[in-house]
Amino acid sequence: MTTEILKTALEKGLKGVGLSATEAIELTSIPDDQIYVILSISEQVRRRHKGVEVNLCAIVNAKSGLCKEDCAFCSQSVKYSTGINEYPMKPASTLVEAAREAEGYGAREFSIVTSGTKIEKDKDVSILIDTLSAMKGSVGMERCASLGILARETLKKLKDSGLESYHHNLETSRSFFPNICTTHGYDEDVEAVKAAKETGFFVCSGGIFGLGETWKDRIELASTLKELDVDSIPVNFLNPRPGTPLEKSHNLTPFECLKIIALFRLMLPAKDIVVCGGRQVNLRDLQPLIFAAGANGMMVGNYLTTPGRDPKDDLKMLDDLGLIPRGH
Ligand code: SF4
């Protein structure tokens, strides 16, 4: 049975088709002590579609905290006392400076991220437009943003100002979402992804794992992302934040994280799979195995509200693995 599903995963993966949801259930039932058999398949599939190149993304938290939503994992929600640093939109000069710094430590994609589900003030849109214009002239990275559920006119304005890629996570499956967020509906997030695609952006949409979701939920999320035909899938692992409802949820093991990455590579074989938040705390010394599991990208530098590790260590890790940062 195990041999059969791995053979199917390899054949379909190499062709770029990917496992169906029913086949994926079988894959996830392979016990943890056979993780290396799964990795030997996911590594081949990643190499077929992505070679030895790795995308390095960096972000800036442009507007922090004070969000009216209640996402149970998030330290930026106004509903929880998490003691994070809260501030309104940073000025364009500060955002451009953060982009230059990220370029300096090796990132090739730079995302401006804001808390909340929308950009409410015209002033904030103007800051974003100024930032994008300045980046076009002085920073050689891809310009990305994660700004919530935006009106199509705003998306169009940002695209015309030089934004290339738009990020909006679905976070988890439609079935599990009400356990995580009660202040907006799943369809609003799906619509945001569709709007970004229809505006012509390269679209990143993925989720966060370790919230208490089941393998069935993870497969449901992967199936939805497949249907939406997103370009890149950010994979985050919960780093429980003090003060949030999930502060005590230490649900993941390094093997489980690797299996999650492999699941996404084998269901969506030709897409970008980018490991983002929670890498260090959840993978620990198994971080280099994310590439064998199928990742072809990772976030470098700091996360939104928590520090990342020294980018030099990440570049060294890639070099030791014989992998090459894209664009270097
Ligand atoms: S994940 Fe985004 S929408 Fe949800 S609480 Fe955090 S900042 Fe708000």
Side-chain angles (χ1 to χ4, degrees):
M1 180 84 132
T2 300
T3 321
E4 210 39 52
I5 186 62
L6 289 170
K7 206 170 141 232
T8 307
L10 182 60
E11 275 172 17
K12 290 182 106 175
L14 293 177
K15 281 189 201 145
V17 181
L19 292 175
S20 67
T22 319
E23 291 163 335
I25 289 276
E26 258 185 74
L27 183 88
T28 57
S29 66
I30 297 176
D32 276 2
D33 62 6
Q34 290 181 43
I35 186 75
Y36 294 104
V37 195
I38 302 179
L39 299 194
S40 70
I41 302 294
S42 48
E43 158 79 4
Q44 291 179 66
V45 174
R46 190 209 85 235
R47 274 185 187 256
R48 164 66 60 93
H49 299 287
K50 303 294 169 186
V52 293
E53 280 199 335
V54 172
N55 298 342
L56 298 180
C57 313
I59 55 171
V60 61
N61 194 356
K63 176 165 84 70
S64 175
L66 301 171
C67 175
K68 295 181 195 118
E69 305 293 319
D70 67 352
C71 305
F73 55 85
C74 183
S75 58
Q76 300 201 71
S77 168
V78 80
K79 320 256 179 196
Y80 316 130
S81 305
T82 59
I84 59 150
N85 198 5
E86 293 164 344
Y87 47 83
M89 187 75 93
K90 288 182 171 173
S93 57
T94 309
L95 300 179
V96 176
E97 194 42 49
R100 282 204 196 99
E101 193 193 330
E103 188 172 35
Y105 59 62
R108 284 296 167 268
E109 286 156 43
F110 182 75
S111 190
I112 305 163
V113 185
T114 54
S115 61
T117 47
K118 38 176 92 75
I119 297 290
E120 276 156 356
K121 297 181 188 150
D122 289 346
K123 188 174 135 252
D124 289 351
V125 176
S126 302
I127 290 176
L128 291 164
I129 290 173
D130 290 348
T131 306
L132 292 165
S133 309
M135 275 183 72
K136 265 201 290 191
S138 64
V139 187
M141 285 189 290
E142 275 176 39
R143 296 171 293 275
C144 319
S146 181
L147 309 167
I149 303 166
L150 295 189
R152 283 173 192 247
E153 311 86 81
T154 314
L155 284 172
K156 173 87 177 47
K157 244 189 232 173
L158 295 171
K159 185 155 196 298
D160 293 344
S161 307
L163 189 64
E164 295 165 283
S165 170
Y166 198 77
H167 166 270
H168 189 78
N169 276 345
L170 296 184
E171 311 300 7
T172 189
S173 68
R174 180 186 288 278
S175 311
F176 193 69
F177 189 75
N179 297 291
I180 291 304
C181 178
T182 63
T183 44
H184 71 271
Y186 202 72
D187 279 329
E188 292 175 68
D189 291 321
V190 169
E191 277 312 309
V193 172
K194 285 185 180 164
K197 273 211 74 109
E198 283 161 24
T199 310
F201 286 115
F202 179 93
V203 174
C204 305
S205 180
I208 176 162
F209 302 92
L211 309 175
E213 79 286 347
T214 60
W215 279 108
K216 225 169 138 235
D217 289 310
R218 293 165 185 166
I219 292 167
E220 188 185 327
L221 172 63
S223 303
T224 306
L225 295 170
K226 202 168 180 175
E227 254 169 58
L228 289 169
D229 195 25
V230 301
D231 302 291
S232 173
I233 297 139
V235 171
N236 297 276
F237 300 114
L238 181 70
N239 178 2
R241 296 290 80 214
T244 64
L246 294 179
E247 67 180 342
K248 293 196 170 62
S249 302
H250 296 275
N251 296 323
L252 296 169
T253 63
F255 276 178
E256 191 164 5
C257 295
L258 294 172
K259 214 157 133 185
I260 291 169
I261 300 167
L263 170 75
F264 279 79
R265 172 55 66 208
L266 296 173
M267 283 189 76
L268 295 119
K271 301 295 185 182
D272 285 342
I273 312 277
V274 182
V275 175
C276 299
R279 167 161 58 95
Q280 290 87 334
V281 288
N282 287 287
L283 270 305
R284 301 186 281 283
D285 286 348
L286 298 198
Q287 286 178 71
L289 290 179
I290 63 171
F291 303 104
N296 68 306
M298 65 178 168
M299 187 174 283
V300 288
N302 291 335
Y303 304 112
L304 285 174
T305 61
T306 54
R309 71 173 185 170
D310 188 333
K312 283 198 204 88
D313 292 338
D314 284 333
L315 290 173
K316 183 79 188 102
M317 173 172 77
L318 293 184
D319 192 42
D320 289 345
L321 289 164
L323 298 170
I324 301 165
R326 192 169 66 90
H328 281 236

